[in-house]
Amino acid sequence: MVRTHTHEISTTGQGDAHDVTGAVGRAVRESGIQAGIVTVFVVGSTASVTTIEFESGAIHDLNAVFEDLAPRDGEYQHHLRWGDDNGSSHVRAALLGPSVTIPFRDRELMLGQWQQIAVLEFDTRPRRREVVIQIIGE
Amino acid sequence: MVRTHTHEISTTGQGDAHDVTGAVGRAVRESGIQAGIVTVFVVGSTASVTTIEFESGAIHDLNAVFEDLAPRDGEYQHHLRWGDDNGSSHVRAALLGPSVTIPFRDRELMLGQWQQIAVLEFDTRPRRREVVIQIIGE
Amino acid sequence: MVRTHTHEISTTGQGDAHDVTGAVGRAVRESGIQAGIVTVFVVGSTASVTTIEFESGAIHDLNAVFEDLAPRDGEYQHHLRWGDDNGSSHVRAALLGPSVTIPFRDRELMLGQWQQIAVLEFDTRPRRREVVIQIIGE
């Protein structure tokens, strides 16, 4: 069985993070599927999904490492193409990736107690984001 | 239902990138599967798959960050084992990972307009790469 | 069909790595499922799973890049919350991600010859880790 949900969020721009664990857990419980995987996928090339202990310190620390790796005000060849200012966003999103896949059993996500599912905005402006929550199992 | 395809590409060595979105979308449409996930997986430990806006500037920028992180001419303990020169390739590939998982619905990949599926070569020499495109759904 | 296994490992702390390819391959062969994907997922927010050539040099090189990126003795806002000392662990684990998804066919993982599945411990102390091996296919 396959169930596909979309979940919309509004972000404030680079560094904003949203905890979608609750929405993903609900989608799994309401699917009627007992065991399987849920893929959480963010549409677009300037945002990412990962798992993290969702507290402001850890989110800050992760963004600080990305600022070191791919500084917002760095020089990017991507800027030359469209006059964009979001080369840092593309690099960060490609590095972290657009999705995570989480197994579940007995209709419960097999996450750790301090492990949440986070959508990270890397674009330099506020965005509406479509998050796909797709459940496959039996 | 499960459908497994393999797709071969030839790369020119470190930094080369291939857009496989067309091949993946075709495999999904021809599978007859309406909704599910497609896993795009590159065989080997010195290449990766991610999503990115596939234009030469963004690809250059991503490779530049990897050159900072794990310089091709850096010192690697991996070199001591086999006399290899591709320690940077192994580190980059492990960081970025071998696969992405993309949901689809109505036989269409749920990608953004500027979001393509890229295979990145990190090895220091040209390679033949086997890309697995595996579709699961109903 | 869905089969869910859990595999426990004991780690020695930050930088420790475990090759779980054998356990994953056995779970696939014993599942009776011919083709599909296996998701290897580590429970918790301070460990990761990736593929790498599993030899001590490459593992060392990957850890060295993480030490550059997110030094163990760096300053982290996460430390301010609980008095923890593992801000570097959270950043590294979020970057590398909690899971990999590997396709299989004819009951064999479609890995390269030098490509193994590695669980990486990033926490600053020894941990018991639960690794979920979940197989979906037909």
Side-chain angles (χ1 to χ4, degrees), chain C residues 53-75:
Chain C
E53 180 180 337
F54 201 92
E55 60 88 16
S56 59
I59 299 292
H60 170 95
D61 296 335
L62 180 59
N63 278 313
V65 167
F66 276 119
E67 179 61 24
D68 264 5
L69 259 177
R72 181 169 178 154
D73 295 331
E75 293 189 9

Side-chain angles (χ1 to χ4, degrees), chain C residues 11-138:
Chain C
T11 71
T12 59
Q14 194 163 72
D16 192 20
H18 289 249
D19 182 353
V20 296
T21 315
V24 174
R26 261 193 311 280
V28 166
R29 284 191 302 278
E30 294 173 359
S31 70
I33 302 176
Q34 294 298 312
I37 51 172
V38 55
T39 298
V40 183
F41 178 89
V42 61
V43 177
S45 51
T46 50
S48 288
V49 183
T50 190
T51 61
I52 193 166
E53 180 180 337
F54 201 92
E55 60 88 16
S56 59
I59 299 292
H60 170 95
D61 296 335
L62 180 59
N63 278 313
V65 167
F66 276 119
E67 179 61 24
D68 264 5
L69 259 177
R72 181 169 178 154
D73 295 331
E75 293 189 9
Y76 297 94
Q77 290 206 5
H78 179 68
H79 295 176
L80 305 175
R81 190 176 181 93
W82 305 112
D84 278 356
D85 72 343
N86 65 354
S88 67
S89 318
H90 286 280
V91 167
R92 297 179 191 193
L95 264 170
L96 196 53
S99 67
V100 290
T101 298
I102 316 278
F104 64 93
R105 186 166 59 176
D106 301 330
R107 299 166 78 167
E108 289 296 330
L109 298 172
M110 298 180 82
L111 292 168
Q113 185 177 3
W114 309 106
Q115 184 177 24
Q116 283 80 41
I117 307 167
V119 176
L120 282 95
E121 180 61 73
F122 290 127
D123 215 335
T124 48
R125 59 186 173 87
R127 295 288 300 261
R128 291 283 293 171
R129 291 291 180 191
E130 188 181 11
V131 179
V132 181
I133 301 171
Q134 195 180 54
I135 304 158
I136 299 194
E138 66 183 12

Side-chain angles (χ1 to χ4, degrees), chain B residues 9-128:
Chain B
I9 57 181
S10 293
T11 71
T12 60
Q14 194 164 71
D16 192 19
H18 289 249
D19 182 353
V20 297
T21 315
V24 175
R26 261 194 311 282
V28 166
R29 284 191 302 278
E30 294 173 359
S31 70
I33 303 176
Q34 294 298 311
I37 52 173
V38 54
T39 298
V40 184
F41 178 88
V42 62
V43 177
S45 52
T46 51
S48 288
V49 183
T50 190
T51 62
I52 193 167
E53 180 180 338
F54 201 93
E55 60 86 19
S56 58
I59 299 293
H60 170 95
D61 297 335
L62 180 60
N63 278 313
V65 166
F66 277 118
E67 180 60 24
D68 264 4
L69 258 178
R72 180 167 177 156
D73 294 332
E75 293 189 10
Y76 297 95
Q77 291 207 3
H78 179 67
H79 295 176
L80 305 176
R81 191 177 181 91
W82 305 111
D84 278 356
D85 73 343
N86 66 354
S88 67
S89 318
H90 286 280
V91 168
R92 297 179 192 193
L95 264 169
L96 197 52
S99 67
V100 291
T101 298
I102 316 278
F104 63 94
R105 186 166 60 176
D106 301 331
R107 298 167 75 167
E108 289 297 330
L109 298 173
M110 298 179 83
L111 292 168
Q113 185 177 2
W114 309 107
Q115 184 177 24
Q116 283 80 42
I117 306 166
V119 175
L120 282 96
E121 180 60 74
F122 290 127
D123 215 336
T124 49
R125 59 186 173 88
R127 296 289 299 262
R128 293 283 293 171

